[in-house]
Amino acid sequence: MQDGRLSTEFANSLGQMEGMVLGTVLSFQANYYTVQLDTPHCLDTEDGAVTISTLLCTRRSRLKKVGQRVMVGDRVWIEEPDWQGQRGAIAQVLPRKTELDRPPIANATQIILVFALAEPDIEPLQLSRFLTKAESTALTVLLCLSKSDLVPQAIQESWCDRLQSWGYTPIVFSTYADHNLEAIAHHCQHQVSVISGPSGVGKSSLINHLIPDAHLRVGEVSGKLGKGRHTTRHVELFELPGTGLLADTPGFNQPDLTCAPSEVVQLFPEARQRLVAGETCQFSDCLHRDEPNCVVRGDWERYEHYLLFLDEAIAHQEATDRLRETESGFKAKTGEAGQTQYEPKLESKKYRRQSRKAQRQALQDLDIDRLMQDADLDE
């Protein structure tokens, strides 16, 4: 299977212990994890057989002691489950194939980036920020444009042609008109997909159509600001009909880009195409600004966006370097209010306490020097 789960054969090869079961973390709230079981458990009760497919779990304290974080999407072993109470304890986290920090999710394979054609209107710079952030994850990026029922066909085609020049083939859809939803569902099969995008573009509505049992709260667009209101408060995975998992993530308006300046150009498909076309820049460390004989610099629409993001990446790197220099001469100390303060580090050689062995050796050397001096005086 390619839906992010381990096959039964591979799971058995890990040496499953007696009484432990394997599952996937679907959600995390208030120190409790909802884990979907790979193999549902059949429990006989007075009212008949009951199939248990999920358990509410805590994390073993030993995982906390070793700093093992449990994320949504993690593949985990559950130790000695209580089938009657439908509870369990996560005893082990399997190695992750991928890991995202924002949103915090493990083992994702695809990012579905949703923007609305109207209400709110597309802002090209904001769209570029989301696209470059999605590209920086190294996951497959699927761009979808919602609310096609609100704009004429000509505008839809205009945006599709424009985004084609950016290197993307978007899927135009409408949850209101039930248009093109099957195309998105097809791309989600055998994938662990993360839906992302600004607030108010219809992410929750899309999930409710793909997974009718999700019942996510749908927000409205602010008439005053023309922007959406946040409706998703936490990361949660939903099982798609057939195979695959789908994650809804809290919306955010300005995703941050923290890559190195030299990596920014790789986040633009149209720039990557220029670099692999057979020609190379004159300088191996070219940042594609004003260097001579640069193959990237030129007349392409998002070049100004590239320069802006490059400046931000350079500023971020300089700030990181300054922080490292500060931390190298200072030590962090947490105050009573929980605030981190920096104090100058003491020079180890000057302030280090002398060992007892060194002290005894120094006394012996001093005694020898005095004996030598006494012998010189006697002569």
Side-chain angles (χ1 to χ4, degrees):
M1 296 177 64
Q2 301 297 325
D3 60 350
R5 300 182 180 183
L6 296 173
S7 64
T8 303
E9 294 78 6
F10 183 57
N12 292 335
S13 69
L14 292 174
Q16 180 178 5
M17 297 176 60
E18 184 178 357
M20 296 181 67
V21 294
L22 190 64
T24 302
V25 178
L26 297 183
S27 64
F28 168 57
Q29 291 188 69
N31 296 324
Y32 286 94
Y33 304 86
T34 302
V35 180
Q36 181 187 58
L37 306 179
D38 282 14
T39 303
H41 180 80
C42 185
L43 179 67
D44 293 328
T45 66
E46 296 179 355
D47 298 328
V50 176
T51 300
I52 300 175
S53 58
T54 61
L55 291 176
L56 188 64
C57 299
T58 57
R59 178 180 59 164
R60 286 298 189 197
S61 58
R62 63 175 175 267
L63 294 181
K64 184 177 182 180
K65 290 179 180 178
V66 299
Q68 175 63 66
R69 182 185 184 190
V70 181
M71 302 174 63
V72 171
D74 267 331
R75 303 282 295 150
V76 296
W77 285 111
I78 302 173
E79 192 175 49
E80 299 177 354
D82 174 15
W83 298 114
Q84 292 288 345
Q86 299 186 24
R87 299 293 184 101
I90 296 174
Q92 182 182 355
V93 179
L94 299 187
R96 296 168 181 144
K97 297 179 180 179
T98 61
E99 181 178 338
L100 301 179
D101 291 329
R102 186 180 181 189
I105 184 171
N107 300 316
T109 61
Q110 174 180 244
I111 291 181
I112 301 177
L113 184 58
V114 181
F115 264 71
L117 289 165
E119 297 182 8
D121 296 335
I122 297 178
E123 298 177 4
L125 180 59
Q126 184 190 43
L127 177 56
S128 277
R129 286 192 182 277
F130 273 89
L131 285 171
T132 52
K133 181 61 177 179
E135 292 282 353
S136 69
T137 65
L139 302 180
T140 301
V141 179
L142 178 66
L143 179 59
C144 299
L145 302 180
S146 65
K147 304 183 183 181
S148 61
D149 56 289
L150 299 181
V151 297
Q153 184 68 26
I155 294 180
Q156 299 179 32
E157 295 176 355
S158 175
W159 267 111
C160 288
D161 293 341
R162 186 175 181 179
L163 294 174
Q164 283 279 0
S165 68
W166 292 15
Y168 300 94
T169 302
I171 296 179
V172 179
F173 74 97
S174 169
T175 55
Y176 178 80
D178 197 16
H179 171 63
N180 241 1
L181 296 175
E182 68 282 354
I184 300 177
H186 174 73
H187 281 277
C188 293
Q189 294 299 306
H190 308 292
Q191 302 286 339
V192 180
S193 304
V194 177
I195 289 190
S196 187
S199 302
V201 297
K203 301 190 298 295
S204 297
S205 296
L206 175 60
I207 293 178
N208 285 335
H209 277 74
L210 295 176
I211 311 173
D213 294 336
H215 301 302
L216 298 186
R217 186 165 61 91
V218 178
E220 298 178 352
V221 175
S222 169
K224 184 177 181 180
L225 300 177
K227 297 182 179 180
R229 297 185 176 94
H230 296 278
T231 56
T232 303
R233 302 301 180 186
H234 62 278
V235 180
E236 184 172 358
L237 278 173
F238 299 92
E239 188 173 11
L240 288 163
T243 58
L245 294 171
L246 191 65
D248 186 24
T249 62
F252 49 92
N253 292 323
Q254 295 295 337
D256 55 336
L257 193 62
T258 58
C259 64
S262 59
E263 298 173 350
V264 176
V265 68
Q266 296 296 331
L267 308 181
F268 291 80
E270 59 270 56
R272 292 200 303 264
Q273 186 176 5
R274 290 170 176 254
L275 290 173
V276 300
E279 300 182 6
T280 57
C281 296
Q282 180 177 344
F283 301 101
S284 59
D285 59 348
C286 182
L287 291 180
H288 319 294
R289 292 185 295 185
D290 51 7
E291 297 89 343
N293 300 322
C294 174
V295 300
V296 173
R297 185 179 67 251
D299 185 19
W300 47 287
E301 181 183 356
R302 291 203 296 167
Y303 181 64
E304 294 299 326
H305 296 176
Y306 164 75
L307 293 178
L308 175 62
F309 299 162
L310 177 63
D311 288 340
E312 294 177 359
I314 292 174
H316 178 268
Q317 185 180 62
E318 291 175 348
T320 302
D321 292 341
R322 287 194 299 268
L323 180 60
R324 288 174 180 171
E325 292 177 359
T326 300
E327 292 179 346
S328 64
F330 291 80
K331 63 178 180 180
K333 183 177 181 181
T334 304
E336 296 180 357
Q339 297 179 346
T340 301
Q341 299 177 346
Y342 290 92
E343 295 181 354
K345 290 182 179 179
L346 301 180
E347 295 182 10
S348 58
K349 292 183 179 180
K350 184 177 180 181
Y351 295 96
R352 183 180 297 169
R353 182 177 180 179
Q354 195 177 34
S355 67
R356 292 183 179 180
K357 181 178 180 180
Q359 291 175 357
R360 288 196 299 268
Q361 184 65 43
L363 290 174
Q364 292 175 2
D365 293 341
L366 181 61
D367 292 340
I368 293 174
D369 291 341
R370 287 179 178 175
L371 291 174
M372 294 295 292
Q373 291 176 3
D374 294 342
D376 292 340
L377 291 174
D378 291 342
E379 293 178 355

